[in-house]
Amino acid sequence: MMLRGMEISRGLLVREPWISLILSGEKIWEMRSRRTRIKGNIALIRQGSGHICATANLLGSLEKIEKDQFEKKWFYHRIPHDQTSRCVERGWLFPWVLSDVVMLDVLIPYNHKRGAVTWVDLT
């Protein structure tokens, strides 16, 4: 799929309130339960919306953040302090680093294939 002059083959599903924080530039780490090998231009999809709302450059993932470092890195992931234990319990300790987030002027519908939870194939 061509978005903003770039060929983009994957869309990352992100829940609220995290997608809004990413779109506003306040959040640059998307915390996930495992690392990713995917890098490059991706689409960002507000989960449940049925639309692509932005593009971003996924720089890759970092090593697991230990619980004692989680709150110190708040500025990057923006997960409230009272939710730290929940994130640790669920294993959301791997930062996926995003840059160059650009909101689209017009939301673009996509075909959400059954079973897509993290990534949506846009080809």
Side-chain angles (χ1 to χ4, degrees):
M1 173 180 282
M2 290 295 290
L3 294 172
R4 296 184 35 252
M6 298 178 286
E7 182 65 32
I8 296 181
S9 61
R10 290 188 171 114
L12 179 63
L13 293 161
V14 184
R15 295 183 186 132
E16 283 293 354
W18 318 120
I19 186 76
S20 290
L21 291 170
I22 291 168
L23 297 176
S24 71
E26 296 175 64
K27 175 181 169 70
I28 61 171
W29 285 1
E30 173 60 6
M31 301 304 290
R32 295 291 171 143
S33 62
R34 64 183 65 111
R35 294 183 59 133
T36 183
R37 294 181 188 192
I38 295 170
K39 293 182 180 181
N41 295 317
I42 61 169
L44 295 177
I45 300 169
R46 179 177 281 114
Q47 187 176 19
S49 72
H51 292 89
I52 298 167
C53 60
T55 61
N57 184 15
L58 177 57
L59 300 175
S61 57
L62 301 177
E63 294 297 322
K64 179 178 168 180
I65 302 296
E66 298 300 327
K67 184 177 180 177
D68 64 333
Q69 292 293 310
F70 202 84
E71 291 191 32
K72 293 176 185 175
K73 304 293 185 179
W74 175 86
F75 181 79
Y76 301 105
H77 59 70
R78 297 298 174 129
I79 296 170
H81 302 298
D82 65 345
Q83 293 183 26
T84 298
S85 292
R86 179 176 167 219
C87 290
V88 170
E89 288 168 10
R90 293 185 177 189
W92 297 335
L93 300 172
F94 294 90
W96 292 12
V97 183
L98 299 168
S99 71
D100 305 316
V101 175
V102 177
M103 289 179 54
L104 299 177
D105 294 330
V106 177
L107 298 177
I108 299 173
Y110 71 94
N111 181 22
H112 189 95
K113 295 178 180 132
R114 186 179 177 134
V117 177
T118 303
W119 292 105
V120 173
D121 181 4
L122 299 174
T123 57

